[in-house]
Amino acid sequence: MSMWGRTLQFLPKQNQREGLLPWVIGVMLFLCALSLTSALALGRGLERWSAGLTSNLSVQIVVDDPMVRKAQTEDALRLLRATPGVAEASVMADADVIALLSPWLGEIPTDTGLPLPTLIEVKLTAPDAVNIKGLGERLMATASGARLDDHQAWMTQILNLAAVVRLLLAGIVVMVVLCTVAIVIFGCRAGLATHRESIEIMHLMGAEDRTISQAFDERYLAHGLKGGLFGVLMAGLTLYILIRLADDMGQGLIQASLPAASSLAWLALLPVLSGVVTMLTARITVRRALLDLM
Amino acid sequence: MITFENVGMRYGMGTEVLRDISFSLDRGSFHFLTGPSGAGKTTLLKLLYLAHRPSRGLVNFFGRDLATLERGALPRLRRRIGVVFQDFRLFDHLTAFENVALPLRIQGAKKAQVADHVEELLSWVGLEDRMHARPATLSGGEKQRVAIARAVINKPDLLVADEPTGNVDPDMSRRLMHLFVELNKIGTTTVVATHDEDLVRMIGAPIMRLDKGELNMIAGGTPLDPEAAA
């Protein structure tokens, strides 16, 4: 940057106070990128996850007598397979049922004679392909021991929790952006105080407010870009490590709340956004301060 | 060209620093502004180089009434005024050449258009060998000559100098005053604030004398140094 460039750069290059600004912006962008990525990934992950669950139903046949249970299971299967919108209905093996119960009951031999409910897994052609309430009533009429579970009770709680977490993350993003703007304003005011005499001289020589603020625009655009680049690189690295760790841990909510590594390309836009926000904040601060001069 | 009528100036709610100031500066005139410290010289100079608006009274610059002039129109007016300060107020990170070029750059002049003009002016003030020196390496007299060159590069209609010889030795003071007289001879209206009675007697120009915020106009005398005043 020189005074012969497109912008009339009359500010000296070195300024120790401003030297810290890109680092502070970088840290804020790091937090912002992490919060924003988590909020977006959590939303998308839960959508995929809940879409998978809402296309599945479970039917329990809870009857003590094994013969009656078997007869009611067959009746329920017939009804389910004849229902439009049901893609598939199959009985879960006893071993699989015991595996589902093992976290609560421990290891159970399959031949204990424990009255286990029969579980029927139902796959729908689409999440809203079947009237769940009507199907439950018809199942009860066909097999009195049948209980239809569409997972709504517990899934609603998780989705509500996820919505609150997303809201919190969005709030963090807003706070970080506001904080960054405040830091830039403070930095800019410090810069104005440091260069007050130079600004006054420029003003007296007939420089328009726009000419003076352009020198700050250029300076703060560079600060914003540098800080943004640093913050995004750090955030990208952190997310990459988290994604690798989550992959090693398996699937579920943890993976759902992290983005796919391939979907992080949009982070590249953040330094540009950071530069523009920083530049505009500086421009508004400087122009307002210049209004104090005649 | 410039008219002040019953101008008063106060800062905030304080007492008036200037009271009922009335005068006019004709095109090509030369005036000294004198008076004891605290008399209001700096305030009057600030009004002259459009750093402040007066608290009351009428001020007319180049046919424009300052009271009705929008803020956005002031930069163009300021470009017709050159200012020289006692403490030079050069940009320390810029060379003498770049400092002098600033007013032209503010007007949007390109590098190629600026070069000849700046070099010519720096030669005129005797600094052709110091064009690329930064202010830190210049003497007081050299700095003030750079400041004068910067003030006049735009060929201003009005040149205002605030104690321009305050930080230089007597010989350099005489040389600087000679520059001001030369500029005045080519039509630049000039106001020089000074405490130096010898310089005032040497030039023999009319005096605007401020005392306790009030202005008295004193006609010019016979110059003691005909060469400087010629």
Side-chain angles (χ1 to χ4, degrees):
Chain A
M1 288 186 283
S2 81
M3 65 168 284
W4 299 108
R6 193 179 59 81
T7 300
L8 177 50
Q9 186 50 271
F10 63 93
L11 301 171
K13 281 180 185 170
Q14 290 104 347
N15 185 326
Q16 287 182 336
R17 284 189 205 172
E18 284 177 20
L20 287 173
L21 197 60
W23 297 103
V24 177
I25 292 173
V27 171
M28 301 312 273
L29 256 287
F30 169 72
L31 296 174
C32 186
L34 282 189
S35 307
L36 199 58
T37 309
S38 301
L40 293 173
L42 189 63
R44 283 195 206 119
L46 281 172
E47 272 170 26
R48 283 199 305 270
W49 190 64
S50 61
L53 284 178
T54 48
S55 296
N56 287 281
L57 302 173
S58 301
V59 176
Q60 289 184 56
I61 310 293
V62 188
V63 179
D64 287 344
D65 186 336
M67 297 301 290
V68 177
R69 191 164 67 232
K70 189 179 177 190
Q72 288 196 7
T73 300
E74 284 169 3
D75 292 342
L77 276 174
R78 261 195 303 279
L79 172 70
L80 288 166
R81 284 169 181 161
T83 303
V86 172
E88 190 182 332
S90 58
V91 176
M92 192 181 279
D94 280 353
D96 292 336
V97 175
I98 286 171
L100 284 174
L101 292 171
S102 63
W104 290 272
L105 302 179
E107 291 300 319
I108 313 163
T110 50
D111 55 353
T112 53
L114 197 68
L116 295 172
T118 301
L119 282 180
I120 302 172
E121 280 187 294
V122 182
K123 287 185 181 168
L124 306 179
T125 52
D128 55 353
V130 171
N131 178 344
I132 304 294
K133 194 181 172 193
L135 179 63
E137 287 169 357
R138 279 185 280 129
L139 270 171
M140 286 284 281
T142 307
S144 58
R147 305 279 183 277
L148 179 66
D149 182 4
D150 63 353
H151 316 299
Q152 281 302 319
W154 60 274
M155 212 169 68
T156 302
Q157 286 181 347
I158 288 185
L159 289 175
N160 285 343
L161 176 68
V164 171
V165 171
R166 283 185 77 185
L167 210 60
L168 283 174
L169 290 170
I172 290 171
V173 170
V174 171
M175 280 193 290
V176 166
V177 170
L178 290 178
C179 245
T180 309
V181 168
I183 287 165
V184 172
I185 289 172
F186 285 131
C188 208
R189 283 183 182 164
L192 280 167
T194 306
H195 303 302
R196 182 167 184 82
E197 189 172 286
S198 302
I199 291 166
E200 278 177 2
I201 298 297
M202 290 293 288
H203 186 70
L204 291 176
M205 285 193 290
E208 291 174 349
D209 291 355
R210 186 186 55 196
T211 307
I212 295 172
S213 74
Q214 272 173 352
F216 284 86
D217 283 0
E218 195 175 73
R219 178 71 54 92
Y220 280 78
L221 174 67
H223 289 335
L225 286 173
K226 276 186 211 166
L229 202 61
F230 167 72
V232 163
L233 282 176
M234 294 310 291
L237 189 67
T238 306
L239 285 167
Y240 179 74
I241 293 169
L242 286 175
I243 291 166
R244 291 294 299 269
L245 287 174
D247 283 345
D248 291 344
M249 285 171 70
Q251 57 188 358
L253 258 180
I254 295 174
Q255 272 187 322
S257 61
L258 286 172
S262 59
S263 69
L264 294 178
W266 64 270
L267 282 177
L269 288 176
L270 279 187
V272 179
L273 204 62
S274 153
V276 171
V277 168
T278 307
M279 183 188 75
L280 290 178
T281 305
R283 178 181 295 178
I284 292 166
T285 309
V286 171
R287 295 241 177 142
R288 280 190 179 167
L290 287 173
L291 288 177
D292 291 340
L293 300 173
M294 176 185 163
Chain B
M1 192 175 76
I2 291 162
T3 312
F4 279 49
E5 283 181 46
N6 300 316
V7 168
M9 180 70 189
R10 70 171 80 234
Y11 293 102
M13 300 300 287
T15 54
E16 277 197 326
V17 182
L18 296 176
R19 282 187 297 280
D20 298 321
I21 303 291
S22 297
F23 66 88
S24 62
L25 299 176
D26 295 331
R27 185 177 300 278
S29 62
F30 190 116
H31 287 84
F32 281 110
L33 176 61
T34 65
S37 296
K41 293 195 300 294
T42 301
T43 300
L44 182 55
L45 288 175
K46 283 182 175 176
L47 292 177
L48 276 171
Y49 58 72
L50 295 175
H52 289 316
R53 284 183 196 269
S55 308
R56 63 181 173 87
L58 294 175
V59 176
N60 192 295
F61 271 83
F62 315 119
R64 310 284 298 271
D65 181 359
L66 199 60
T68 59
L69 212 58
E70 288 178 4
R71 188 174 179 279
L74 289 171
R76 283 188 174 275
L77 220 53
R78 288 194 183 100
R79 290 173 197 172
R80 299 175 68 178
I81 303 168
V83 191
V84 179
F85 300 96
Q86 180 179 2
D87 54 356
F88 324 122
R89 301 203 190 174
L90 299 174
F91 289 77
D92 288 336
H93 63 290
L94 301 180
T95 64
F97 182 96
E98 289 168 335
N99 267 288
V100 176
L102 265 177
L104 293 176
R105 291 283 291 124
I106 286 171
Q107 287 189 5
K110 301 292 176 203
K111 189 175 181 179
Q113 297 170 308
V114 170
D116 290 346
H117 204 32
V118 173
E119 283 171 14
E120 184 187 329
L121 198 54
L122 280 169
S123 297
W124 180 69
V125 296
L127 291 174
E128 61 271 30
D129 298 331
R130 308 289 281 147
M131 278 186 202
H132 303 293
R134 293 184 197 279
T137 64
L138 297 174
S139 69
E142 287 174 329
K143 284 179 192 172
Q144 197 57 292
R145 279 183 281 162
V146 173
I148 291 170
R150 183 180 68 181
V152 301
I153 187 87
N154 273 345
K155 299 188 177 73
D157 294 314
L158 171 65
L159 178 64
V160 179
D162 185 5
E163 300 278 359
T165 58
N167 282 333
V168 295
D169 59 54
D171 184 48
M172 182 53 66
S173 294
R174 201 164 164 271
R175 289 175 64 187
L176 291 177
M177 284 313 298
H178 182 69
L179 286 177
F180 287 121
V181 171
E182 287 292 312
L183 286 164
N184 177 244
K185 272 197 257 178
I186 57 170
T188 307
T189 306
T190 308
V191 177
V192 178
T194 184
H195 275 112
D196 192 334
E197 297 292 337
D198 290 341
L199 278 182
V200 174
R201 279 195 295 273
M202 182 180 88
I203 304 298
I207 300 165
M208 303 163 73
R209 182 162 178 83
L210 267 174
D211 199 2
K212 295 176 183 170
E214 292 178 358
L215 183 71
N216 288 305
M217 300 294 280
I218 302 167
T222 308
L224 290 182
D225 185 346
E227 187 192 334

